[in-house]
CSV table of all heavy atoms in Angstrom, one decimal:
chain,number,residue,atom,x,y,z
E,248,PRO,N,-36.2,2.1,-10.2
E,248,PRO,CA,-35.8,0.8,-10.7
E,248,PRO,C,-34.8,0.2,-9.9
E,248,PRO,O,-33.8,0.8,-9.4
E,248,PRO,CB,-35.3,1.1,-12.1
E,248,PRO,CG,-36.1,2.4,-12.5
E,248,PRO,CD,-36.2,3.2,-11.3
E,249,SER,N,-34.9,-1.1,-9.7
E,249,SER,CA,-33.9,-1.9,-8.9
E,249,SER,C,-32.7,-2.2,-9.7
E,249,SER,O,-32.7,-2.1,-10.9
E,249,SER,CB,-34.5,-3.2,-8.4
E,249,SER,OG,-35.0,-3.9,-9.5
E,250,LEU,N,-31.6,-2.5,-9.0
E,250,LEU,CA,-30.3,-2.7,-9.6
E,250,LEU,C,-30.0,-4.1,-10.0
E,250,LEU,O,-29.0,-4.4,-10.7
E,250,LEU,CB,-29.2,-2.3,-8.6
E,250,LEU,CG,-29.4,-0.9,-7.9
E,250,LEU,CD1,-28.4,-0.7,-6.8
E,250,LEU,CD2,-29.2,0.2,-9.0
E,251,ASP,N,-30.9,-5.1,-9.7
E,251,ASP,CA,-30.5,-6.5,-9.8
E,251,ASP,C,-30.1,-6.9,-11.3
E,251,ASP,O,-29.3,-7.8,-11.4
E,251,ASP,CB,-31.7,-7.5,-9.4
E,251,ASP,CG,-32.8,-6.8,-8.7
E,251,ASP,OD1,-32.5,-6.1,-7.7
E,251,ASP,OD2,-33.9,-6.9,-9.1
E,252,GLU,N,-30.7,-6.3,-12.3
E,252,GLU,CA,-30.4,-6.7,-13.6
E,252,GLU,C,-29.1,-6.2,-14.2
E,252,GLU,O,-28.6,-6.6,-15.2
E,252,GLU,CB,-31.5,-6.3,-14.6
E,252,GLU,CG,-32.7,-7.1,-14.6
E,252,GLU,CD,-33.6,-6.8,-15.7
E,252,GLU,OE1,-33.6,-5.6,-16.1
E,252,GLU,OE2,-34.3,-7.6,-16.2
E,253,GLY,N,-28.5,-5.3,-13.4
E,253,GLY,CA,-27.2,-4.7,-13.9
E,253,GLY,C,-27.4,-3.7,-15.0
E,253,GLY,O,-26.4,-3.4,-15.7
E,254,THR,N,-28.6,-3.2,-15.2
E,254,THR,CA,-28.8,-2.3,-16.3
E,254,THR,C,-28.9,-0.8,-15.8
E,254,THR,O,-29.1,0.1,-16.6
E,254,THR,CB,-30.2,-2.6,-17.0
E,254,THR,OG1,-31.2,-2.7,-16.0
E,254,THR,CG2,-30.0,-3.9,-17.8
E,255,ILE,N,-28.8,-0.7,-14.5
E,255,ILE,CA,-29.0,0.7,-13.9
E,255,ILE,C,-27.6,1.1,-13.3
E,255,ILE,O,-27.0,0.3,-12.6
E,255,ILE,CB,-30.0,0.7,-12.8
E,255,ILE,CG1,-31.4,0.1,-13.2
E,255,ILE,CG2,-30.2,2.1,-12.2
E,255,ILE,CD1,-32.1,0.9,-14.2
E,256,LEU,N,-27.2,2.3,-13.5
E,256,LEU,CA,-26.0,2.9,-12.9
E,256,LEU,C,-26.4,3.2,-11.4
E,256,LEU,O,-27.4,4.0,-11.2
E,256,LEU,CB,-25.6,4.1,-13.7
E,256,LEU,CG,-24.2,4.7,-13.5
E,256,LEU,CD1,-24.0,5.3,-12.1
E,256,LEU,CD2,-23.1,3.7,-13.8
E,257,GLU,N,-25.7,2.7,-10.5
E,257,GLU,CA,-26.1,3.0,-9.1
E,257,GLU,C,-25.6,4.3,-8.6
E,257,GLU,O,-24.5,4.5,-8.1
E,257,GLU,CB,-25.5,1.9,-8.2
E,257,GLU,CG,-26.0,2.0,-6.7
E,257,GLU,CD,-25.5,0.9,-5.8
E,257,GLU,OE1,-24.7,0.0,-6.3
E,257,GLU,OE2,-25.9,0.9,-4.6
E,258,GLY,N,-26.4,5.3,-8.8
E,258,GLY,CA,-26.0,6.7,-8.5
E,258,GLY,C,-25.8,6.9,-7.0
E,258,GLY,O,-26.6,6.4,-6.2
E,259,VAL,N,-24.8,7.8,-6.7
E,259,VAL,CA,-24.6,8.2,-5.3
E,259,VAL,C,-25.8,9.1,-4.9
E,259,VAL,O,-26.3,9.1,-3.8
E,259,VAL,CB,-23.2,8.8,-5.1
E,259,VAL,CG1,-23.0,9.3,-3.7
E,259,VAL,CG2,-22.1,7.9,-5.5
E,260,THR,N,-26.2,9.9,-5.8
E,260,THR,CA,-27.4,10.8,-5.6
E,260,THR,C,-28.6,9.9,-5.3
E,260,THR,O,-29.4,10.2,-4.4
E,260,THR,CB,-27.6,11.8,-6.7
E,260,THR,OG1,-26.3,12.3,-7.2
E,260,THR,CG2,-28.5,12.9,-6.3
E,261,ARG,N,-28.8,8.9,-6.1
E,261,ARG,CA,-29.9,8.0,-6.0
E,261,ARG,C,-29.9,7.4,-4.5
E,261,ARG,O,-31.0,7.5,-3.9
E,261,ARG,CB,-29.8,6.8,-7.0
E,261,ARG,CG,-30.8,5.7,-6.9
E,261,ARG,CD,-30.4,4.6,-7.8
E,261,ARG,NE,-31.3,3.4,-7.8
E,261,ARG,CZ,-31.3,2.4,-7.0
E,261,ARG,NH1,-30.4,2.4,-6.0
E,261,ARG,NH2,-32.2,1.5,-7.1
E,262,ALA,N,-28.8,7.0,-4.1
E,262,ALA,CA,-28.7,6.4,-2.7
E,262,ALA,C,-29.0,7.5,-1.7
E,262,ALA,O,-29.7,7.2,-0.7
E,262,ALA,CB,-27.3,5.8,-2.5
E,263,SER,N,-28.5,8.7,-1.9
E,263,SER,CA,-28.8,9.8,-0.9
E,263,SER,C,-30.3,10.2,-0.9
E,263,SER,O,-30.8,10.4,0.1
E,263,SER,CB,-27.9,11.0,-1.3
E,263,SER,OG,-26.6,10.7,-1.4
Side-chain angles (χ1 to χ4, degrees):
S249 57
L250 306 170
D251 350 306
E252 280 191 330
T254 53
I255 307 292
L256 195 293
E257 185 175 6
V259 178
T260 317
R261 175 185 183 276
S263 308

